[in-house]
């Protein structure tokens, strides 16, 4: 009853996903989903939209990152949407919440694990530069 | 109704002007400013009034009355737009704002005004003797504005809101690339992207930092941070960071 | 067309060169009519010329100008309400600037507007231009202020639910009357009329009148008597209670039942627009936590006119998907950026949500650092991005204030304090105060950091030294020097946990000292009086001291004791306004453990609950119920006198200070007790006869309570006749008058004990007040 949850960055809902069906153009994606958090390369270009969910038990505490999601939009070489994955961590393994399948391979599997494993223990290395 | 004629003390323009000069030389700037104001008020058409106006701007500035200095400078620039002294008038306006720049945790309105005034000096009078000091002041004000972006970026980084922090450091990399904050901005980008988990962008930021500032302290920190995780700086040309730098051909 | 020369005529002060510089037309180069227009516009824009004409004569372009005259001096005559310096800063025409007909006209209107705002509708402003040599002029504004246009009468038409006097309390405009010389709100000001209408609407909507409408708000001027008659015509409509309440959500994965808990408007309640707003806020927060950061909630009411109920449906649907690109803070010349930024629940990159912005605005205003807070939005770099600009107008947050007060126990007391609520712009609170009176000396210093270690966790410390000399109510001197450290941990908007450590050194002494053979009893008025003397030095005193002697229990406590306490307290607070609460609850549960070092060990538990409610809104009557209880248990051998609870007039009015509870039958010193409970029921109401602007309130109250169980385990107690430790409930009732003076609330109470124990000390009249800090 005291806790508060905050969502930062990109918010994915079913309504928005319906607006970027397979084959929609790069500009269409930019128009509906906006500028991506990161752009990768696996086969064609890939847009990554990263969002963080943070929680705090009590008002005085610092919100902790509890979940991190990556919406990946894969383009083919004509810059048409080839596939969309909404990845999060499910019991420690990369899981696609759209196709309801556990991801095991794929070119950007490494990238996805880094981002999502970050959510598991908050960040891959919790690296902090000397303040 | 009274016209209060007596204020019109009738000293001729040149005498008033010389009194002003004498006072200026003996360091009594605010008294000098009053004399120059009188010249301009009572002898608007004498050729001294033009010189008195610029001297009023100078003396008000040196005695710390920045608003009066700005008003006098602005009026001189309007009255004599092509006159070489206008460069000095604009410079005085810039200096008046420059002196009121607050620290980075406060509203940077004065910094923005100083930047605009100094830019006016450089664009309208590029060869004037004040141009290079104006350029120096432009760099300092831009550095201050970049400092403000870094301040807010660090605020979000401290609270582990990496998405917000990245946006602020991005502004420094894209808009304030020539300021001395660029090194820290790239290092902070490495740290933010790394903590967010986007290691490829972190590697790019560190690599660009390494190329341009190989012996900077910030590069050492960024490098050690990546190495702890088993990564090393490696630039991905597609990243916005390297694109931002390639445009300026710094690499 | 082409010309090979440009001539300038009619200029005196401005050189030809300057005029040519502003023109886009150049000699020996083709120019179009457009260039001529541009040049004309540029020349007019300089403001130097009242008239410019450009015409071509053969191969020469002639530019004839008439220069605006130069203003030599601007002066004002007949102005009293505003001084010359202030007016000079307002008007556009400045000395040494150029005279322009338009500017003078604008200045005249500006001056008239300034006087209207001070309620001077009869003021007239005449600009006079006096020609001087060399095309210079003096500009004189002749002002005739006329006397103040007051507000003779404010009346309301169409109000049945609330009386005229009650509604006059709601709005800010006041009728001119008794105190008009010191107040400005009784002069008519159109902008204040706007906010008055808003206040009326808000008041009615909070009391169930969902259909409330202001038909007209008219102020007609009676020229002869120079006063205004303000008339508000309102249509109240019916008072609605809430019928059904349901939530409809178009969001896929969020069902209405999940949001039911966030709804505050329950069926059967009177309709209250504030509850509706709070519900909107809670639903949006609930929904955004489920990932729908863009949710919008719109309430729709269907009215059932027969039985005056209103069914409310909250429609929850997807709002526009807009992100916050940047948050720029403006206007903070003193307050630091992070002190403002940390109050915002949203950050850059988050979803844009209007409700969170209103919440942030409220939070920033509560800081008390700003006169005004305005949060506006501008387009961002792309359609789905927005830039939020938080513009603050800072106000002075430092106060040097003097307090004076009178309390029956301590006599006249006064204090001087310096407070800074926004120390160095870091949002920190610093206060230093020195106080004194006939029998007291107090020194205090406190500091608080609201965001300790960057979290919403306040940390602060206070240092104090308090000296109380002996008085008619207190047979001992007590000097306490100490400090405490407090951490405030808000758990959510309403509940807060405080962790405290306090330590103090108390020096306790009885006033009788032996001086040249006599025991001198010090009284606070006049010098000490010998009470019992040994004239001949044979060791026998002429009077047995025991009767007036301080109680043995008091003597037992003589000396210095050091107490070191750790404690925690849980506070629940939903009062609508701290200074004058009309609605809401306050609860506090506190436990303190003395014995972390120090000479004494005890556990002290106190609990307090207060409920405020507007029981009769029309008459502005506010009811308050309060209950307090406490228990203290010694952990080492026994509890000394000063650590006991004491109960008296400050809690149960009608009794003297420490007038209730166990007492030393012989010396009548109060001994205190280990258990106490006290309750109060009070109704406060604006005094009907007195005009409300004086700020007088009446109060009817009844207090009850008891204090029992003095720790008499010490053997000396065998020789102390303890009386009044029977634990029956004392009960008193009375009435009070509160004056909300410019120095703070001052209160006088008259209360008569109805049920009391024979040993209690009673006191009908009690007064207290001065600036409450």
């Amino acid at each position: 009853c005291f806790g508060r949850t905050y969502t930062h960055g990109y918010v994915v809902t079913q309504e928005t996903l319906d607006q970027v069906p397979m084959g929609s153009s790069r500009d269409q994606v930019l128009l509906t989903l906006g500028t991506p958090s990161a752009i990768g390369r696996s086969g064609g270009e890939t847009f990554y939209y990263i969002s963080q969910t943070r929680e705090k038990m009590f008002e005085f505490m610092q919100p902790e990152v509890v979940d991190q999601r990556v919406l990946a939009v894969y383009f083919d070489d004509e810059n048409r949407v080839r596939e969309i994955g909404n990845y999060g961590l499910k019991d420690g393994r990369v899981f696609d919440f759209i196709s309801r399948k556990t991801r095991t391979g794929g070119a950007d599997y490494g990238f996805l694990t880094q981002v999502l494993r970050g959510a598991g223990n908050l960040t891959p290395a919790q690296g902090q530069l000397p303040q | 109704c009274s016209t209060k004629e007596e204020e019109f003390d009738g000293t001729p323009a040149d005498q008033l002007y010389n009194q002003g000069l004498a006072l200026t030389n003996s360091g009594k700037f605010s008294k000098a400013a009053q004399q120059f104001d009188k010249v301009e008020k009572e002898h608007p058409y004498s050729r001294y009034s033009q010189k008195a106006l610029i001297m009023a701007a100078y003396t008000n500035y040196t005695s710390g009355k920045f608003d009066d200095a700005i008003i006098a400078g602005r009026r001189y620039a309007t009255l004599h737009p092509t006159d070489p002294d206008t460069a000095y008038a604009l410079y005085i306006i810039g200096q008046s704002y420059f002196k009121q720049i607050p620290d980075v945790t406060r509203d940077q309105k004065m910094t923005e005004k100083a930047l605009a005034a100094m830019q006016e000096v450089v664009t309208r009078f590029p060869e004037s003797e004040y141009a290079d000091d104006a350029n120096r002041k432009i760099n300092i004000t831009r550095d201050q504005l970049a400092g403000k972006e870094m301040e807010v970026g660090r605020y979000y980084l401290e609270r582990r809101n990496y998405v917000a922090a990245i946006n602020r450091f991005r502004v420094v990399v894209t808009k304030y690339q020539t300021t001395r904050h660029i090194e820290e901005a790239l290092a902070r980008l490495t740290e933010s992207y790394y903590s967010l988990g986007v290691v490829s962008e972190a590697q790019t930021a560190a690599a660009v930092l390494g190329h341009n500032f190989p012996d900077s302290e910030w590069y050492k920190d960024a490098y050690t941070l990546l190495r702890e995780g088993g990564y090393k700086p490696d630039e991905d040309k597609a990243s916005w960071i390297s694109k931002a730098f390639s445009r300026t051909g710094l690499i | 067309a082409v010309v090979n020369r440009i001539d300038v005529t009619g200029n005196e002060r401005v050189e030809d060169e300057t005029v040519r510089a502003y023109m886009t037309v150049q000699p020996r180069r083709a120019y179009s009519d457009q260039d001529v227009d541009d040049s004309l516009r540029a020349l007019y824009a300089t403001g130097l010329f009242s008239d410019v004409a450009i015409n071509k004569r053969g191969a020469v372009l002639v530019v004839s100008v008439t220069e605006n005259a130069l203003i030599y001096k601007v002066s004002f005559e007949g102005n009293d309400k505003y001084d010359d310096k202030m007016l000079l800063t307002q008007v556009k025409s400045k000395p040494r600037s150029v005279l322009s007909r338009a500017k003078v006209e604008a200045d005249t209107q500006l001056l008239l507007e300034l006087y209207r705002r001070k309620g001077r509708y009869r003021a007239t402003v005449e600009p006079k231009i006096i020609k001087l040599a060399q095309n210079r002029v003096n500009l004189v504004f002749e002002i005739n202020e006329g006397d103040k246009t007051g507000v003779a009468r404010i009346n309301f038409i169409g109000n049945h639910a609330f009386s005229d006097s009650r509604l006059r309390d709601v709005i800010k405009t006041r009728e001119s009357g008794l105190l008009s010389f010191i107040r400005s709100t009784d002069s008519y000001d159109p902008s204040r009329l706007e906010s008055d209408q808003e206040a009326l609407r808000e008041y009615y909507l909070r009391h169930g009148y969902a259909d409330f409408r202001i038909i007209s708000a008219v102020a007609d001027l009676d020229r002869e008597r120079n006063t205004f008659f303000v008339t508000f015509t309102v249509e109240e409509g019916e008072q609605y209670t809430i019928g059904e309440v349901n939530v409809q959500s178009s969001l896929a994965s969020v069902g209405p039942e999940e949001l039911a808990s966030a709804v505050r408007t329950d069926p059967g309640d009177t309709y209250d627009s504030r509850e509706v707003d709070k519900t909107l806020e809670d639903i949006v927060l609930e929904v955004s936590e489920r990932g729908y950061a863009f949710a919008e909630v719109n309430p729709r009411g269907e009215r059932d006119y027969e039985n005056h109920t209103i069914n409310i449906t909250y429609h929850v649907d997807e709002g526009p998907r807009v992100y916050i690109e940047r948050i720029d803070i403006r206007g903070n010349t003193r307050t630091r950026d992070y002190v403002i930024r940390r109050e915002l629940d949203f950050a850059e990159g988050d979803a844009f949500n209007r409700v969170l912005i209103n919440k942030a605005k409220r939070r920033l205003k509560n800081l008390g650092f700003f006169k005004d807070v305005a949060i506006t939005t501008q387009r961002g770099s792309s359609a789905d991005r927005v830039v939020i600009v938080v513009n603050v107008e800072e106000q002075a947050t430092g106060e040097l204030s003097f307090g004076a007060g009178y309390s029956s126990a301590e006599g006249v007391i006064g204090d001087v304090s310096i407070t800074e609520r926004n120390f160095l712009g870091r949002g920190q609170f610093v206060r230093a105060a020195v106080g004194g009176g006939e029998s007291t000396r107090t020194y205090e210093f406190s500091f608080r950091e609201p965001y300790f270690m960057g979290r919403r966790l306040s940390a602060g410390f206070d240092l104090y030294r308090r000296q109380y000399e002996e008085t008619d109510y207190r047979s001992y001197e007590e000097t306490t020097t100490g400090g405490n450290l407090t951490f405030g941990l808000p758990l959510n908007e309403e509940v807060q946990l405080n962790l405290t450590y306090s330590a103090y050194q108390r020096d306790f002494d009885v006033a009788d000292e032996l001086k040249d053979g006599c025991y001198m009893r010090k009284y606070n008025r006049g010098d000490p009086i010998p009470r019992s003397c040994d004239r001949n030095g044979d060791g026998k005193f002429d009077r047995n001291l025991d009767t007036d002697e301080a109680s043995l229990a008091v003597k037992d406590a003589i000396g210095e004791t050091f107490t070191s306490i750790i404690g925690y307290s849980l506070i629940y607070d939903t009062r609508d306004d701290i200074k004058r609460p009309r609605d809401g609850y306050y609860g506090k549960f506190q436990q303190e453990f003395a014995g972390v070092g120090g000479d004494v060990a005890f556990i002290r538990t106190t609990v307090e609950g207060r409920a405020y409610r507007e029981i009769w809104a029309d008459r502005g009557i506010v009811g308050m119920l309060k209950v307090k209880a406490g228990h203290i248990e010694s952990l080492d051998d026994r509890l000394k006198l000063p650590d006991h609870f004491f109960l008296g007039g400050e809690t149960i009015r009608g009794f003297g200070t420490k007038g209730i509870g166990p007492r030393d039958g012989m010396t009548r010193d109060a001994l205190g007790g280990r258990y106490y409970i006290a309750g109060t029921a009070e109704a406060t109401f604006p005094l009907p006869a007195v005009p409300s602007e004086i700020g007088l309130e009446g109060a009817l109250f009844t207090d009850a309570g008891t204090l029992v169980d003095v720790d008499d385990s010490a053997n000396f107690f065998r020789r102390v006749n303890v009386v009044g430790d029977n634990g029956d409930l004392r009960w008193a009732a009375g009435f009070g008058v509160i004056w909300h003076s410019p120095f703070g609330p001052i209160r006088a109470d008259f209360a008569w004990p109805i049920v009391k124990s024979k040993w209690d000390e009673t006191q009908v009249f009690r007064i207290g007040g001065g600036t409450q800090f």
Side-chain angles (χ1 to χ4, degrees), chain B residues 98-226:
Chain B
F98 191 82
K99 278 281 191 316
Q100 301 174 66
I101 290 183
D103 69 300
V104 277
T105 66
R106 283 147 171 166
D107 184 353
Q108 295 305 314
K109 187 150 52 71
M110 284 302 168
T111 323
E112 282 148 10
K113 284 201 170 131
L115 178 59
M118 289 303 182
Q119 244 144 13
E120 202 181 346
V121 172
V122 171
T123 39
R124 281 176 65 180
F125 299 90
E127 299 84 31
S128 92
E129 64 199 271
Y130 309 104
D132 34 22
D133 187 52
N135 268 318
R136 224 163 33 78
K137 294 283 163 53
I138 287 177
N139 291 338
I140 297 173
T141 48
R142 279 168 56 76
D143 197 276
Q144 174 84 354
L145 292 175
K148 170 90 190 181
E149 297 298 324
M150 291 302 288
E151 172 79 12
V152 179
R154 281 190 297 267
Y155 168 88
Y156 283 120
L157 187 56
E158 248 165 63
R159 284 162 177 71
R160 289 220 276 280
N161 185 334
Y162 303 117
V163 177
I166 288 168
N167 283 337
R168 284 282 172 160
F169 299 133
R170 179 198 298 261
V171 169
V172 177
V173 168
T174 47
K175 241 171 97 182
Y176 299 105
Q177 218 169 78
T178 54
T179 68
R180 57 187 169 80
H181 293 281
I182 187 62
E183 294 170 38
E184 185 188 352
L186 286 169
R188 295 295 182 191
L189 275 173
T190 312
E191 181 187 349
S192 313
Y193 271 120
Y194 191 80
S195 306
L196 195 57
V198 188
V199 179
S200 60
E201 293 287 352
Q203 290 172 299
T204 306
V208 168
L209 176 56
H211 290 323
N212 296 285
F213 311 94
D215 42 29
S216 117
E217 267 310 305
W218 292 107
Y219 177 54
K220 286 193 191 59
D221 297 343
Y223 186 83
T224 38
L225 174 65
L226 286 178

Side-chain angles (χ1 to χ4, degrees), chain A residues 51-69:
Chain A
S51 71
Q52 263 183 357
T53 314
R54 303 197 302 161
E55 240 172 40
K56 62 178 179 181
M57 276 295 295
F58 295 109
E59 186 67 17
F60 67 89
M61 293 170 85
Q62 200 80 310
E64 292 301 329
V65 177
V66 290
D67 180 23
Q68 209 150 268
R69 279 290 173 81

Side-chain angles (χ1 to χ4, degrees), chain A residues 38-129:
Chain A
I39 300 176
R41 174 128 359 276
S42 61
E45 201 180 26
T46 314
F47 284 178
Y48 293 107
Y49 293 90
I50 298 172
S51 71
Q52 263 183 357
T53 314
R54 303 197 302 161
E55 240 172 40
K56 62 178 179 181
M57 276 295 295
F58 295 109
E59 186 67 17
F60 67 89
M61 293 170 85
Q62 200 80 310
E64 292 301 329
V65 177
V66 290
D67 180 23
Q68 209 150 268
R69 279 290 173 81
V70 180
L71 177 75
V73 180
Y74 302 96
F75 292 96
D76 55 26
D77 20 32
E78 283 110 23
N79 275 342
R80 290 268 167 219
V81 173
R82 162 167 60 84
E83 190 203 343
I84 291 188
N86 182 7
Y87 299 106
L89 217 48
K90 200 147 177 297
D91 38 57
R93 305 250 300 300
V94 175
F95 182 79
D96 175 2
F97 285 83
I98 293 180
S99 60
R100 318 290 323 153
K101 292 206 303 307
T102 314
R103 255 307 273 282
T104 47
D108 61 359
Y109 180 72
F111 167 77
L112 288 175
T113 36
Q114 286 157 13
V115 173
L116 298 171
R117 197 155 34 79
N121 55 20
L122 295 192
T123 48
Q126 198 63 8
Q128 290 292 1
L129 288 181

Side-chain angles (χ1 to χ4, degrees), chain B residues 78-79 106-107 149 168, chain C residues 18 22 326 330-331 334 348:
Chain B
T78 325
L79 273 175
R106 283 147 171 166
D107 184 353
E149 297 298 324
R168 284 282 172 160
Chain C
T18 307
Y22 280 105
R326 261 174 87 86
R330 286 289 181 197
R334 231 166 64 78
E348 293 174 354

Side-chain angles (χ1 to χ4, degrees), chain C residues 594-766:
Chain C
V596 185
D599 313 332
V600 283
F602 56 73
I603 301 181
R604 177 167 46 203
T605 313
T606 51
V607 66
E608 180 179 349
R610 279 186 244 147
Y612 298 89
R613 184 153 307 288
E614 219 174 18
I615 35 183
W616 192 1
D618 177 38
R619 289 282 172 270
I621 298 176
V622 176
M624 191 266 281
L625 275 177
K626 181 164 81 169
V627 176
K628 270 167 70 167
H631 159 62
I632 185 163
E633 194 59 49
S634 170
L635 294 177
D636 50 21
D637 53 359
R638 61 186 173 77
L639 203 65
K640 288 207 166 157
L641 177 104
D643 294 328
H644 279 73
F645 287 119
F646 290 95
L647 193 60
E650 69 298 330
T651 319
I652 319 276
R653 283 158 291 195
F655 291 87
T657 310
K658 299 183 181 169
I660 289 174
R663 194 169 300 281
D664 180 326
M666 239 198 349
T667 69
R668 305 199 63 75
D669 280 309
L671 300 174
R674 286 187 285 190
Y675 294 87
Y676 85 89
I677 184 159
T680 300
E682 181 170 291
T684 51
F685 44 86
L687 288 178
V690 173
S692 65
E693 59 267 18
I694 300 189
L696 268 184
E697 262 192 335
L700 282 173
F701 56 81
T702 172
D703 299 342
T706 186
L707 171 73
V708 284
D709 188 12
V710 61
D711 179 344
D712 55 7
S713 54
N715 40 41
F716 67 78
F717 264 96
R718 280 197 310 287
R719 286 186 285 118
V720 172
N721 161 18
V722 175
V723 294
D725 194 355
N726 46 35
D728 355 334
L729 198 66
R730 277 70 162 183
W731 182 43
F735 67 90
V737 179
I738 310 159
W739 177 32
H740 293 280
S741 77
F743 311 105
I746 296 180
R747 178 169 184 145
D749 288 312
F750 301 86
W752 290 270
I754 298 165
V755 170
K756 70 178 180 64
S757 127
K758 146 156 88 68
W759 297 93
D760 292 346
E761 285 170 7
T762 63
Q763 179 186 318
V764 171
F765 172 70
R766 166 175 285 277

